[in-house]
Amino acid sequence: MTTIKKKKAKMPSYLTVKQEATTSNVADMYIDGEIVTDEWEDSDTSAAGFRDALKSLGDVKEINLHINSPGGSVFEGIAIYNMLKQNKAKVNIYVDALAASIASVIAMSGDAIFMPSNSMMMIHNPYTVAVGNANELRKAADDMDQITKASVASYLAKAGNKLDEDTLKDLMDNETWLTAQEAVDYGLADEVLEPNKAVASLDNPFAKKFKHLPVQLLKQETPKPEDKSDSETLKQLEEIKERALQSSSALSLELLNIKENF
C-alpha cells in the first residue's frame, strides 16, 4: 500500500508572526530552513507561504526578518526578495547564523542587514542537474548564466560602490564563505553585532551540496553517553555465555567418561 503524504494546511511554525507588545507597527518573521517550492517540513519556506505570512502582518511600519538558511530554490528565493523589496515597511535582516546561497540573496532585500560576528554568508553561482544531448546541455548552461544575473543584480544593488561586478563574479565562481566582517566590507551587510550563542552550522547531508564548506560549519555528532543498563546487559550475557561454555565442556567430559566405561 502506497502512502501519500498530504501537504499541511496550517501555516508553518517558522512563519509565525510575532508582533511586539509595545506597538503593532513592528513585526518579526523567521526563515529557519530550506527555500522550497512545496512545503513538506515545518522548517521549509516557499514563496507562497511567505506571501501569506506577509499578508497576515497587515500594515506594519517595520519588519525584522531573521534568517538561518542553507538556501534552496533560486526562483522561490528571488520571489521572496522581490516581495520584501516591494513592501512599504522598513525591512531589517538579521542573519542569526547562516545565510547561504539563495538565502543570501533574500538577505539583500534588507534596508539594513545585521550579522552577529559568529554568523556567515555564502555566495555562489546557482547550480542545477541536467540530462540530455549536447545541445540541451549547452542550453542548460546558458540558462544558468541567465539565472545567475538575477543574483548578481541583487548583490550589486545592495553593495553599491563597495563591490564591483568582476570581484563579485570571482567570489561567486569560487563559492565564497564570508564572515560577518567580510560581508560588511563588501557592502553585503551593514553592521556586525555581538555573537550569538548558537554559531552557524550545517547538517552533514545538506553540506554535501557545497564545494568549499568551512570545516567548522559541519555539525559535530555528539557522542552518545554509554547506557549503563546496556553495559550491564552485555556483561550479564558474557557471563551466561562463559557459564554455558563451561557447562558444555563439563558435559562433553562426562559423555567421554561414560563412553570409556562402556
Side-chain angles (χ1 to χ4, degrees):
M1 178 179 175
T2 302
T3 302
I4 299 176
K5 190 175 181 181
K6 294 184 178 179
K7 191 174 180 179
K8 298 178 181 178
K10 65 178 183 178
M11 188 176 294
S13 58
Y14 72 89
L15 281 175
T16 300
V17 176
K18 297 182 179 179
Q19 294 187 333
E20 300 201 1
T22 56
T23 174
S24 61
N25 289 330
V26 180
D28 291 342
M29 298 179 70
Y30 299 84
I31 294 179
D32 289 328
E34 292 187 49
I35 314 301
V36 299
T37 303
D38 296 304
E39 296 169 1
W40 296 104
E41 303 295 334
D42 286 341
S43 60
D44 290 341
T45 304
S46 70
F50 196 85
R51 175 203 63 208
D52 293 341
L54 274 179
K55 287 182 178 179
S56 72
L57 292 179
D59 187 20
V60 295
K61 300 294 183 183
E62 195 167 345
I63 297 172
N64 296 320
L65 175 60
H66 295 261
I67 297 177
N68 182 25
S69 170
S73 169
V74 172
F75 291 116
E76 295 291 307
I78 292 295
I80 293 171
Y81 167 89
N82 286 329
M83 289 178 202
L84 290 166
K85 291 296 289 184
Q86 294 162 9
N87 197 285
K88 294 179 180 179
K90 178 185 178 183
V91 177
N92 299 314
I93 300 292
Y94 293 87
V95 180
D96 287 342
L98 177 66
S101 191
I102 197 62
S104 67
V105 174
I106 293 174
M108 296 303 106
S109 65
D111 296 296
I113 303 174
F114 304 96
M115 293 182 65
S117 60
N118 59 348
S119 64
M120 297 198 79
M121 180 180 291
M122 187 276 277
I123 61 175
H124 69 161
N125 295 319
Y127 60 85
T128 189
V129 176
V131 178
N133 59 39
N135 289 331
E136 291 168 333
L137 293 177
R138 289 190 190 97
K139 185 179 184 305
D142 291 338
D143 290 343
M144 293 305 294
D145 287 339
Q146 291 297 107
I147 293 170
T148 300
K149 291 179 180 179
S151 296
V152 169
S154 301
Y155 293 130
L156 291 178
K158 177 61 184 177
N161 59 10
K162 287 188 175 183
L163 186 62
D164 60 76
E165 187 169 351
D166 289 338
T167 301
L168 173 61
K169 286 184 176 180
D170 186 58
L171 293 172
M172 294 175 70
D173 286 344
N174 290 287
E175 186 188 290
T176 304
W177 295 78
L178 301 169
T179 64
Q181 187 57 58
E182 288 170 339
V184 169
D185 292 342
Y186 281 121
L188 301 179
D190 296 297
E191 186 178 338
V192 178
L193 304 178
E194 289 298 313
N196 283 328
K197 292 182 179 180
V199 298
S201 61
L202 275 177
D203 287 320
N204 289 351
F206 198 95
K208 293 177 182 177
K209 297 182 180 181
F210 301 135
K211 297 178 182 178
H212 307 298
L213 180 70
V215 176
Q216 64 268 29
L217 288 189
L218 287 172
K219 283 186 176 178
Q220 301 298 319
E221 296 289 341
T222 303
K224 186 178 180 181
E226 183 180 356
D227 191 327
K228 291 184 178 180
S229 60
D230 290 345
S231 179
E232 286 296 323
T233 300
L234 288 173
K235 185 177 180 180
Q236 291 173 5
L237 288 173
E238 286 297 326
E239 291 176 353
I240 293 171
K241 179 181 177 181
E242 184 64 28
R243 288 200 299 270
L245 289 172
Q246 292 173 356
S247 299
S248 176
S249 298
L251 180 60
S252 296
L253 287 173
E254 286 184 26
L255 290 173
L256 182 61
N257 289 332
I258 292 173
K259 287 177 70 177
E260 289 179 350
N261 288 336
F262 277 94

